[in-house]
Amino acid sequence: MGQLENARKFFVRDHYAVMTTGIEILEVGDHYSRAELKISDRILNGAGKVMGGAIFTLADFSFAVASNKVDENCEVTEKTVTANSSISFLNPAKGTKLISECRLIKDGHKICTYEIKISDDLGTLVALVIANGMKV
């Protein structure tokens, strides 16, 4: 089983992100992840726009996938939890799905920092998140 399959098998345990919202992991690399969330009525707010919480959930899940190393037994060997994160909402999503791309910025001994870009499938940058993780 490859790195992507291992991550999918492990993170299916995240019932809220995977089952409730429907986030799908597209790609996993060393301190990297890409995921998508289809835009549907279940994640729209009262104004008919994608709810900020759904956007943040996609970012936080992408951070978890990128910062936690899953081995061939589908167990996490390097555990990281969110210590702090900040989101800037830049534009409303207009496409049919949201795509996250999470990359490591700084990897310290106990603290790490990642940047997560959320775009729609039309290429519009919807949000930017900076997440700090603590290795446990």
Side-chain angles (χ1 to χ4, degrees):
M1 205 178 322
Q3 195 173 9
L4 177 60
E5 293 81 16
N6 292 342
R8 284 179 174 164
K9 188 172 178 184
F10 177 82
F11 283 103
V12 75
R13 300 173 191 173
D14 188 330
H15 292 235
Y16 181 73
V18 175
M19 295 181 188
T20 302
T21 65
I23 296 171
E24 180 182 352
I25 302 169
L26 300 176
E27 189 177 345
V28 178
D30 189 31
H31 300 288
Y32 173 82
S33 74
R34 195 165 58 87
E36 76 175 21
L37 172 60
K38 289 181 176 66
I39 297 174
S40 66
D41 290 344
R42 69 180 172 187
I43 65 165
L44 299 182
N45 62 23
K49 302 295 182 192
V50 177
M51 182 180 165
I55 296 167
F56 186 79
T57 297
L58 175 59
D60 189 56
F61 183 73
S62 296
F63 169 72
V65 173
S67 66
N68 288 282
K69 185 174 181 172
V70 179
D71 69 10
E72 62 278 354
N73 297 316
C74 299
E75 294 300 327
V76 174
T77 58
E78 295 177 19
K79 296 179 182 177
T80 303
V81 296
T82 304
N84 181 45
S85 56
S86 168
I87 188 166
S88 295
F89 297 101
L90 304 172
N91 293 291
K94 296 187 178 173
T96 60
K97 59 187 170 181
L98 295 171
I99 300 144
S100 66
E101 192 164 30
C102 180
R103 296 181 189 280
L104 177 69
I105 296 174
K106 169 91 168 100
D107 192 19
H109 179 67
K110 282 289 199 187
I111 302 291
C112 55
T113 302
Y114 284 75
E115 175 186 74
I116 306 104
K117 292 181 180 178
I118 307 291
S119 301
D120 64 19
D121 54 332
L122 301 175
T124 304
L125 184 59
V126 174
L128 180 64
V129 176
I130 300 297
N132 294 307
M134 179 173 291
K135 299 173 187 180
V136 293

